[in-house]
Amino acid sequence: MPDRLDVAVVGGSIGGLFVAGLLDRAGHRVTVFERSVHGLSRRGAGLVAQRELFELLHLVGRDDAAGVGVVAHERITLARDDRIVHRDPSPQTQLSWDYLYEVLRSLLPPERYRLSTPIQAVVSNEHDATVRFPDGRHERFDLVIGADGLNSVTRVAVNPEQHTNSYAGYVTWRGLIPEGRLSGAAASTLLERFAFFNGPDAHMLGYLVPGPAGEVRPGSRRYNWVWYRPMTARQLTALMTRSGRSPASASLAPGQLPRALRDDLVADGLDELPPSFAAAVEAEPRPFLQAIYDYVPRRMVKGRVALLGDAAVMVRPHTAMGAAKAAGDAMALAGLLSALPLSEALARYDDERLPVGRAISEYGVRLAGSLPFAHDR
């Protein structure tokens, strides 16, 4: 049986918590470093349930959380005038990102989830890996796992020659509102369904998710909407600057979009979207944004550093497989570490999971090819 390892996980979002929970349960000593000051509660939105998520929850002993979801009983596509032009009776379950985050975080002792702890750099050799902090301190571990997402610091240790993302030329605006904010025709059209709209410069979808504490009773759930729109790199930079963010930023959290720009977004919704979706946009006082990027590395492991989730391979959200891929990465790595010596486990992890990530990335690009504005730029 392989030795108990001292493991650092860089990044405390759900990808990092996936692997931290599995490794902690297997008896390893795990420390998660999260740069945010207060944690990531209420930062996420909705997740489409996938097999990997249920399997991981089972492995960490939280089958109960797998049942906390909302079922959309049919999938519909709307025309610009709100008519339903296509129906698919296939049911689908949606989960709450923030509820899943809280469940996973509860698996770790509080002192092992270190908030307000950004990592400046990770360095490694064949024997150990070191995380370096901005104040000059450093800590050494048997293994460092980079789960630090889009702007991963850990990538540099694994792929120093290739660690930047490629902008895809469009963004996704998102909202997450109490279902009670939708009323009348919008509620009748959207609630209990997974709805889509495709327009010349827009692709939109929306669905119900549980409430922030896992509430699934009607009236206590939330409506999650996702609106894809084209945006040039220059326009993205200008938006970030006007929002008081670094020009190189790739996202806006809830509350970071200035009121005037939020009002512009609402006006665009009225001009471009079916009335029900426009009402959902108007009902969100704090819309947030994620720019869409691609990244596929040459390797996911180097020395005693391994990458996981978006830090390893970025996949476009059209696949609805980002969280599932991170869960698959985590289960594969934890399983290999339990069965093999560390160096052999890491080599096998790279061999097994990089092709999976590459295939999902390519699938996302193909899906985006059906959108008139979503071709690579």
Side-chain angles (χ1 to χ4, degrees), residues 189-357:
T189 299
L190 298 178
L191 300 185
E192 314 300 340
R193 292 162 160 163
F194 201 120
F196 295 89
F197 168 70
N198 294 298
D201 286 308
H203 173 65
M204 189 160 185
L205 57 102
Y207 49 85
L208 282 167
V209 300
E215 302 92 341
V216 295
R217 180 173 51 83
S220 301
R221 304 165 300 182
R222 295 168 298 171
Y223 190 74
N224 175 65
W225 57 260
V226 184
W227 181 10
Y228 295 95
R229 305 186 75 194
M231 185 176 292
T232 66
R234 180 175 295 181
Q235 289 171 330
L236 178 62
T237 297
L239 173 65
M240 293 301 165
T241 301
R242 292 183 66 189
S243 299
R245 304 279 291 161
S246 162
S249 296
S251 64
L252 294 173
Q256 291 183 336
L257 184 71
R259 175 63 184 267
L261 296 182
R262 181 262 175 184
D263 291 345
D264 289 344
L265 188 71
V266 170
D268 288 347
L270 292 170
D271 287 342
E272 300 174 18
L273 299 174
S276 292
F277 273 147
V281 173
E282 188 172 14
E284 173 55 87
R286 304 196 310 158
F288 46 110
L289 174 142
Q290 174 190 358
I292 307 302
Y293 290 87
D294 296 311
Y295 175 75
V296 180
R298 294 184 176 91
R299 65 183 77 88
M300 290 172 56
V301 169
K302 187 176 182 181
R304 292 294 185 93
V305 183
L307 301 177
L308 179 148
D310 286 346
V313 178
M314 287 292 303
V315 298
R316 300 199 191 186
H318 315 294
T319 66
M321 294 175 69
K325 183 184 76 68
D329 289 346
M331 289 187 290
L333 182 55
L336 289 166
L337 291 172
S338 295
L340 299 170
L342 178 53
S343 295
E344 187 178 347
L346 293 177
R348 283 274 300 276
Y349 172 69
D350 200 7
D351 289 342
E352 291 180 10
R353 293 304 297 178
L354 182 54
V356 173

Side-chain angles (χ1 to χ4, degrees), residues 40-365:
L40 302 174
S41 297
R42 309 297 187 262
R43 295 281 187 93
L47 292 173
V48 176
Q50 304 278 9
R51 173 186 56 80
E52 291 88 346
L53 297 179
F54 295 137
E55 184 178 349
L56 187 139
L57 289 169
H58 174 72
L59 290 173
V60 298
R62 289 303 305 264
D63 287 296
D64 58 303
V68 181
V70 177
V71 178
H73 298 288
E74 66 173 343
R75 298 160 70 92
I76 61 170
T77 300
L78 298 177
R80 176 66 180 81
D81 62 3
D82 237 24
R83 288 179 299 112
I84 297 175
V85 294
H86 179 73
R87 294 180 187 267
D88 178 354
S90 303
Q92 183 167 288
T93 301
Q94 294 81 235
L95 307 178
S96 164
W97 187 99
D98 41 14
Y99 176 72
L100 184 60
Y101 168 81
E102 295 292 354
V103 166
L104 294 166
R105 187 172 169 183
S106 72
L107 300 176
L108 292 177
E111 67 274 13
R112 291 290 164 201
Y113 189 93
R114 291 166 56 175
L115 289 168
S116 194
T117 313
I119 303 301
Q120 185 177 58
V122 176
V123 295
S124 172
N125 55 43
E126 295 303 315
H127 307 290
D128 55 40
T130 300
V131 294
R132 293 178 175 171
F133 306 99
D135 62 2
R137 292 181 302 112
H138 66 272
E139 294 183 32
R140 187 171 296 154
F141 296 87
D142 298 314
L143 172 64
V144 172
I145 300 171
D148 44 345
L150 173 72
N151 294 312
S152 171
V153 171
T154 319
R155 274 186 198 165
V156 182
V158 178
N159 293 286
E161 72 288 350
Q162 183 221 357
H163 56 84
T164 58
N165 306 291
S166 174
Y167 180 49
Y170 62 106
V171 302
T172 176
W173 291 97
R174 306 194 68 155
L176 187 65
I177 56 176
E179 64 177 301
R181 289 187 187 166
L182 288 176
S183 60
S188 177
T189 299
L190 298 178
L191 300 185
E192 314 300 340
R193 292 162 160 163
F194 201 120
F196 295 89
F197 168 70
N198 294 298
D201 286 308
H203 173 65
M204 189 160 185
L205 57 102
Y207 49 85
L208 282 167
V209 300
E215 302 92 341
V216 295
R217 180 173 51 83
S220 301
R221 304 165 300 182
R222 295 168 298 171
Y223 190 74
N224 175 65
W225 57 260
V226 184
W227 181 10
Y228 295 95
R229 305 186 75 194
M231 185 176 292
T232 66
R234 180 175 295 181
Q235 289 171 330
L236 178 62
T237 297
L239 173 65
M240 293 301 165
T241 301
R242 292 183 66 189
S243 299
R245 304 279 291 161
S246 162
S249 296
S251 64
L252 294 173
Q256 291 183 336
L257 184 71
R259 175 63 184 267
L261 296 182
R262 181 262 175 184
D263 291 345
D264 289 344
L265 188 71
V266 170
D268 288 347
L270 292 170
D271 287 342
E272 300 174 18
L273 299 174
S276 292
F277 273 147
V281 173
E282 188 172 14
E284 173 55 87
R286 304 196 310 158
F288 46 110
L289 174 142
Q290 174 190 358
I292 307 302
Y293 290 87
D294 296 311
Y295 175 75
V296 180
R298 294 184 176 91
R299 65 183 77 88
M300 290 172 56
V301 169
K302 187 176 182 181
R304 292 294 185 93
V305 183
L307 301 177
L308 179 148
D310 286 346
V313 178
M314 287 292 303
V315 298
R316 300 199 191 186
H318 315 294
T319 66
M321 294 175 69
K325 183 184 76 68
D329 289 346
M331 289 187 290
L333 182 55
L336 289 166
L337 291 172
S338 295
L340 299 170
L342 178 53
S343 295
E344 187 178 347
L346 293 177
R348 283 274 300 276
Y349 172 69
D350 200 7
D351 289 342
E352 291 180 10
R353 293 304 297 178
L354 182 54
V356 173
R358 183 180 293 113
I360 298 173
S361 174
E362 292 171 353
Y363 172 58
V365 173

